Amino acid sequence: MGSIDRYIFRTTLASFALVLVSLTGVIWITQALRGIDLMTSQGQTIITFLGITSLVIPALVLIIAPIALMIAISHTLNKLATDSEIIVMNAAGFSPYRLFRPFFFATCVVALLVTFIGAYLAPDGLRRIKQWDAEITADVLTNILQPGRFAQLDQNLTIRIRERQPGGVLAGIFVDDRRDPKERVTIIADHGTVLKNENGSYLVLEDGNLERFEAGKRDPALVAFGRYAFDMSKFSNRGRDVALGIRERYLWELVSPSEDDPVFKQLSGQFRAELHDRILAPVYPFAFAVLTFAFLGTPRTTRQSRNFSIGGSILAVFGLRMAGFACSVMAVKTPIMALVQYSMLFAAIAVGMWMIVGGVVVEPPAALMEAINRSNARLARLFGRPATA
């Protein structure tokens, strides 16, 4: 790799890293704010919150990296064109294909990064999120029951405690249980403790009253008790069994899933679509790089506008990505759409390489430019400003 190649290679990767970090940070913040209830409702620390939400970053990078590469290549080419470096290199004998070489090397680095993230890092982060969340919510008596707050443990079960006292004593306990459609149970206790044994977990209430209102009866049944055990085993065991979704599977688990896997039996089409997405993930950087360079890599003078080429490259890249998403969704029920996605990507790369090798310059049609100039002239006359020649 020569000095010019190293210069372009370093500039492209530096721009890629900056854009990737910026876009990922912005999107991560929007995603993290949705999980802010992890601290507010479940009493977790800011370190736990940041640790869990940061595990989704690899999955974000998997989608953002090709787009960040496209922006980085556009920035580098625009910088070279503004400084007239592309024209000088072309005059020195650099063909567009030769100039594309350092961008190809940078794309290979991004493709390797995307391959590692898609095959291992992203699913590993997602499964860690699920396991960590299961561990946090497993012991609801410790994490969810916060003083002064009504905690809805189930659709029709609400518990509130007034305060936590030394020795694990819970003071001022209120329980509203409407899970049985035939009756509603309301319990108020002065204090209670948590009891765990081989039979399960129990909230042992002391010095309280129980009100049971049965359907079809006019008056509730009131019972004063000195000691009452409320079964909480269902909620304390919530996090023991963690079923992995499709996105939490490593690439090799998608290639050869177990025949006895209940998720695979039920969602075999989604397994297939996810597998093709993981395989094609490293191809998107190459397609984006080729299309971007095909539109912007040809030498132009500083007097020639590049706006049309920039707009064309953006439309081509985002159109390809949206079509890829559509094919992935349809591949769940229509396997042939996976082949369409492969054909579309490699066709885009082939067309882009043909444009690069042939030195095709993407310019707006003359009729379109004349129409734009006439429209600008009419606007200038409308606002009383003389039109430029």
Side-chain angles (χ1 to χ4, degrees):
M1 189 184 298
S3 58
I4 295 178
D5 292 340
R6 287 196 299 270
Y7 165 67
I8 297 176
F9 178 79
R10 288 196 304 267
T11 303
T12 303
L13 285 187
S15 302
F16 166 76
L18 179 62
V19 174
L20 181 65
V21 170
S22 302
L23 291 179
T24 304
V26 171
I27 298 177
W28 172 73
I29 290 174
T30 61
Q31 296 293 321
L33 290 177
R34 297 180 182 179
I36 196 69
D37 63 323
L38 185 66
M39 289 191 301
T40 58
S41 65
Q42 298 187 15
Q44 299 301 311
T45 64
I46 184 65
I47 301 300
T48 301
F49 170 74
L50 292 177
I52 292 179
T53 55
S54 63
L55 290 174
V56 78
I57 291 179
L60 297 177
V61 172
L62 190 63
I63 302 298
I64 297 172
I67 299 175
L69 177 65
M70 182 268 292
I71 297 174
I73 293 177
S74 300
H75 167 74
T76 304
L77 288 173
N78 186 65
K79 180 178 180 296
L80 294 175
T82 303
D83 297 338
S84 301
E85 292 173 318
I86 291 182
I87 297 177
V88 172
M89 286 186 283
N90 182 71
F94 271 62
S95 64
Y97 179 75
R98 172 64 181 82
L99 181 61
F100 179 67
R101 191 169 70 177
F103 294 103
F104 174 77
F105 293 150
T107 304
C108 289
V109 174
V110 176
L112 290 175
L113 174 66
V114 170
T115 301
F116 173 67
I117 292 175
Y120 173 77
L121 197 59
D124 184 70
L126 293 177
R127 67 170 58 191
R128 286 176 182 271
I129 289 176
K130 178 166 287 188
Q131 292 170 354
W132 201 346
D133 184 64
E135 292 174 2
I136 289 175
T137 58
D139 192 355
V140 297
L141 300 180
T142 302
N143 297 302
I144 295 182
L145 297 184
Q146 298 299 313
R149 297 179 181 177
F150 289 90
Q152 189 169 357
L153 305 186
D154 205 348
Q155 186 175 3
N156 294 309
L157 176 62
T158 304
I159 299 180
R160 179 187 184 274
I161 60 174
R162 185 178 68 247
E163 62 177 334
R164 292 181 180 271
Q165 296 180 349
V169 177
L170 307 177
I173 302 174
F174 168 81
V175 179
D176 182 32
D177 187 358
R178 293 174 292 168
R179 291 174 294 174
D180 188 347
K182 296 182 180 180
E183 64 177 15
R184 176 176 181 175
V185 177
T186 302
I187 305 173
I188 299 176
D190 180 74
H191 61 277
T193 55
V194 177
L195 174 64
K196 296 182 180 181
N197 54 33
E198 63 277 3
N199 297 322
S201 299
Y202 300 89
L203 182 59
V204 180
L205 308 174
E206 299 184 15
D207 299 333
N209 297 280
L210 183 148
E211 178 186 86
R212 177 178 282 107
F213 190 89
E214 298 182 8
K217 293 187 178 181
R218 179 178 179 181
D219 299 321
L222 300 175
V223 178
F225 60 84
R227 188 178 178 88
Y228 180 83
F230 189 80
D231 190 1
M232 300 288 290
S233 302
K234 172 184 175 182
F235 307 100
S236 295
N237 294 332
R238 182 186 297 175
R240 290 185 180 177
D241 298 325
V242 179
L244 296 178
I246 298 175
R247 296 184 64 197
E248 288 106 29
R249 308 296 178 98
Y250 298 122
L251 179 61
W252 51 89
E253 294 175 338
L254 295 175
V255 172
S256 57
S258 174
E259 296 292 339
D260 299 330
D261 191 337
V263 180
F264 175 69
K265 291 181 179 179
Q266 184 179 4
L267 303 171
S268 59
Q270 294 187 17
F271 260 81
R272 180 179 58 251
E274 182 68 19
L275 173 61
H276 291 301
D277 277 348
R278 301 277 187 90
I279 295 175
L280 288 174
V283 182
Y284 275 100
F286 290 101
F288 288 6
V290 168
L291 289 176
T292 303
F293 191 91
F295 277 88
L296 301 175
T298 52
R300 291 182 176 88
T301 65
T302 55
R303 293 180 178 272
Q304 292 177 292
S305 175
R306 303 171 63 87
N307 295 334
F308 182 82
S309 298
I310 294 174
S313 65
I314 293 174
L315 288 177
V317 165
F318 279 91
L320 183 65
R321 180 68 266 193
M322 291 301 103
F325 281 131
C327 289
S328 178
V329 172
M330 291 186 287
V332 174
K333 296 184 178 180
T334 310
I336 192 65
M337 294 308 298
L339 180 60
V340 173
Q341 190 175 7
Y342 280 91
S343 303
M344 178 181 62
L345 271 177
F346 287 104
I349 294 175
V351 171
M353 290 303 300
W354 171 78
M355 295 173 63
I356 294 173
V357 174
V360 178
V361 180
V362 180
E363 292 182 344
L368 177 62
M369 292 304 301
E370 291 178 2
I372 293 176
N373 291 334
R374 287 196 300 268
S375 177
N376 292 338
R378 283 195 295 268
L379 290 175
R381 288 194 300 269
L382 180 64
F383 289 100
R385 298 178 58 185
T388 56

